[in-house]
Amino acid sequence: MKKIVIVKKGVTVKEVAKSENCCTEGSPGKIR
Amino acid sequence: MLLSRYHKTFSHPEDPSALLLFSTRTTALVVLDHATYAALERGETVEGSEGLVECGLLVSDHGREREEVLHYLDEVNRLSDRLSVAVVLGMRCNFACTYCYEGDSKGAFDMDPATAQRLPDFLLDQCSPGCKRIGIDFYGGEPLLYREQIKTIAGGMQELCSKAGLTFDFALVSNGSLLRPELVDELLPFGLVTAKITLDGPAATHDRFRPFTNGGPSFATVLKNIRDCAGRLTINVGGNYTKESYPRFPELLDELKGAGLGPEHIGRLGFTPVIQPEHEQLAPLSFHGGCQSVSEPWLPEAAIFLRQQLLNYGWDPEGVTPTPCMVDRNNTFTIHYDGNIYQCPALIGQEELVCGDIHKGMEDYSKQYQVKNWQGHKACCDCLYLLLCFGGCRFMKYRKDLTMDIDCKKDFLDATLESFILQDIVGAEK
């Protein structure tokens, strides 16, 4: 096995800046 | 280079010689062996570790890393190029959802023509210098009861944005009962791109929580509309669950499958708990069974269960990711039908939370909403989960005790994060 395997690179602050708001209809909230 | 302080390790589900290394700062996920991890912890250079820098798991300085985390929201605001606004067109609704946060404030209250006409100019004035896009989420009540106002506002936005060199689009946050293909076709030229629709479990559960105002069932109508409109625009489906209702949500996934609706037809499918309005000063509801805090003990089990079901049925559930609250984002706010400005669509109608109007402009709301409320808590500033929490949901906290203080997600994340990450590694249950 390779010593380090990157499964997911994660998100950059720039991507978060472009992401949607948290609220959805009916019952907003930030619990996923 | 140093191993980031914002990391968690978990056992690999299939390989005892390996570890999962997760960044709570970037949400990067890495598999490595125990010896490599130990070497990284000692600050030694390890072959192939260059990628860990890009992932935010290796840093040059812990002090600088902490500063970057504490100023993360400033950077989010600096880099944002989109003004994102929720517009509440009015309070009429053709549904009588038992848990609706708008409660008995719904009724014949509509945005007047002068407010709708003024809105595009006001929004353009709110654009920061780097702004390239404006997006509106039309809320109600039920926004599709206000199609002419949608066209007035969206048409005005298109005209102004075109002159200013900005792009414009809008989404509907709708119950889905009126979303017909011909209506979608009518609104697409005005910038409609997305509809966010709610299905609260299978028909029997959904119809109990989300009946029409005459008491009739709505599930079949909404499902048919999703099926008929899929392909014309992006449809995201959300579902609100309670402690009692969530075990039946797999039946919804069966019903979607039975209707021929899969991930190729629906943009995003995800479930969130109903939030219980509990404080005595808030509009009382006969509904009980919602969630009062992210720390409720049944929530982790429900969240893990529902996420696994999505994977089992071939859906791609939303991952753990930094999700700043609208309150902390400079370029997002809500305009109520009367022209008043709030910082969250769920908090409309609370007089003490009005922070300006579209005629006088936006007022300083930093104290009113306790912007960056976590800064006053040392435990938050030191917390590995800060970027996954940002002080939790303001709305939930306000509903519980009328404050904008933090609703700490640490217990919830401690109880769920490993499971969520393992789910991403293993995928569907065999």
Side-chain angles (χ1 to χ4, degrees), chain B residues 283-309:
Chain B
L285 291 180
S286 54
F287 175 80
H288 293 285
C291 177
Q292 290 178 46
S293 162
V294 69
S295 304
E296 290 208 17
W298 61 274
L299 261 184
E301 186 183 328
I304 292 166
F305 171 80
L306 291 170
R307 204 167 180 281
Q308 186 61 54
Q309 296 305 313

Side-chain angles (χ1 to χ4, degrees), chain B residues 163-209:
Chain B
K163 283 179 190 163
L166 305 173
T167 59
F168 168 75
D169 57 46
F170 74 86
L172 300 165
V173 182
S174 165
N175 60 38
S177 65
L178 302 169
L179 191 78
R180 296 297 305 149
E182 49 277 19
L183 177 55
V184 171
D185 290 345
E186 193 181 321
L187 295 176
L188 285 172
F190 288 88
L192 172 63
V193 288
T194 307
K196 301 172 184 176
I197 293 175
T198 303
L199 289 171
D200 282 353
T205 311
H206 173 96
D207 288 338
R208 187 156 54 86
F209 285 113

Side-chain angles (χ1 to χ4, degrees), chain A, chain B residues 26-32 54 72 76 81 84 101 139 173 196 198 210 272-275 318 323 329 332 346 389 392 396 409 412:
Chain A
M1 167 187 136
K2 259 182 87 176
K3 280 188 167 180
I4 297 172
V5 178
I6 296 171
V7 179
K8 195 176 73 163
K9 275 189 172 178
V11 293
T12 63
V13 63
K14 196 170 182 180
E15 287 164 334
V16 172
K18 290 179 187 294
S19 65
E20 275 194 46
N21 292 323
C22 56
C23 293
T24 54
E25 192 231 8
S27 194
K30 285 205 304 169
I31 302 163
R32 304 296 182 198
Chain B
T26 66
T27 67
L29 179 62
V30 170
V31 178
L32 72 182
E54 196 185 337
Y72 191 88
V76 166
D81 63 358
S84 182
Y101 65 90
Y139 278 69
V173 182
K196 301 172 184 176
T198 303
R210 299 179 69 81
T272 52
V274 171
I275 295 175
E318 200 165 22
T323 312
R329 298 182 82 146
T332 67
C389 172
M396 192 179 285
K409 288 172 78 172
F412 177 78

Side-chain angles (χ1 to χ4, degrees), chain B residues 2-257:
Chain B
L2 305 167
L3 192 58
S4 162
R5 284 204 169 130
Y6 296 87
H7 79 265
K8 300 278 285 185
T9 55
F10 305 109
S11 300
H12 193 286
E14 290 155 357
D15 181 357
S17 72
L19 272 179
L20 302 175
L21 177 63
F22 177 77
S23 168
T24 58
R25 181 180 165 204
T26 66
T27 67
L29 179 62
V30 170
V31 178
L32 72 182
D33 60 61
H34 291 266
T36 303
Y37 176 70
L40 291 172
E41 267 198 312
R42 290 191 297 268
E44 295 171 10
T45 303
V46 174
E47 187 191 338
S49 65
E50 307 79 24
L52 297 183
V53 178
E54 196 185 337
C55 291
L57 280 160
L58 279 184
V59 298
S60 57
D61 182 279
H62 282 148
R64 186 184 301 167
E65 179 184 41
R66 179 183 162 91
E67 284 304 305
E68 283 176 7
V69 166
L70 294 178
H71 292 97
Y72 191 88
L73 287 171
D74 298 332
E75 197 64 357
V76 166
N77 284 326
R78 190 182 68 81
L79 293 169
S80 171
D81 63 358
R82 178 179 166 93
L83 182 72
S84 182
V85 183
V87 172
V88 181
L89 294 164
M91 302 302 281
R92 292 176 198 264
C93 190
N94 58 342
F95 273 25
C97 304
T98 53
Y99 56 80
C100 179
Y101 65 90
E102 291 173 353
D104 55 10
S105 64
K106 290 199 295 295
F109 309 106
D110 311 321
M111 182 172 281
D112 62 44
T115 303
Q117 292 281 350
R118 162 77 186 127
L119 224 159
D121 284 311
F122 172 76
L123 293 186
L124 208 69
D125 287 345
Q126 298 305 304
C127 286
S128 55
C131 183
K132 294 177 183 160
R133 305 179 295 153
I134 300 181
I136 291 180
D137 285 348
F138 284 113
Y139 278 69
E142 166 50 43
L144 287 178
L145 293 170
Y146 297 94
R147 67 180 74 179
E148 292 310 315
Q149 288 91 329
I150 289 173
K151 287 195 269 186
T152 298
I153 295 167
M157 290 305 305
Q158 284 181 316
E159 198 181 326
L160 289 179
C161 286
S162 171
K163 283 179 190 163
L166 305 173
T167 59
F168 168 75
D169 57 46
F170 74 86
L172 300 165
V173 182
S174 165
N175 60 38
S177 65
L178 302 169
L179 191 78
R180 296 297 305 149
E182 49 277 19
L183 177 55
V184 171
D185 290 345
E186 193 181 321
L187 295 176
L188 285 172
F190 288 88
L192 172 63
V193 288
T194 307
K196 301 172 184 176
I197 293 175
T198 303
L199 289 171
D200 282 353
T205 311
H206 173 96
D207 288 338
R208 187 156 54 86
F209 285 113
R210 299 179 69 81
F212 283 105
T213 44
N214 66 7
S218 66
F219 183 88
T221 303
V222 177
L223 190 66
K224 181 178 188 322
N225 289 350
I226 293 172
R227 198 174 50 207
D228 292 349
C229 294
R232 280 179 155 78
L233 76 171
T234 300
I235 297 180
N236 294 330
V237 175
N240 304 306
Y241 62 83
T242 66
K243 185 179 176 182
E244 281 71 36
S245 72
Y246 84 82
R248 292 195 63 180
F249 271 55
E251 295 170 48
L252 167 63
L253 302 176
D254 281 328
E255 297 206 35
L256 289 172
K257 199 173 174 182

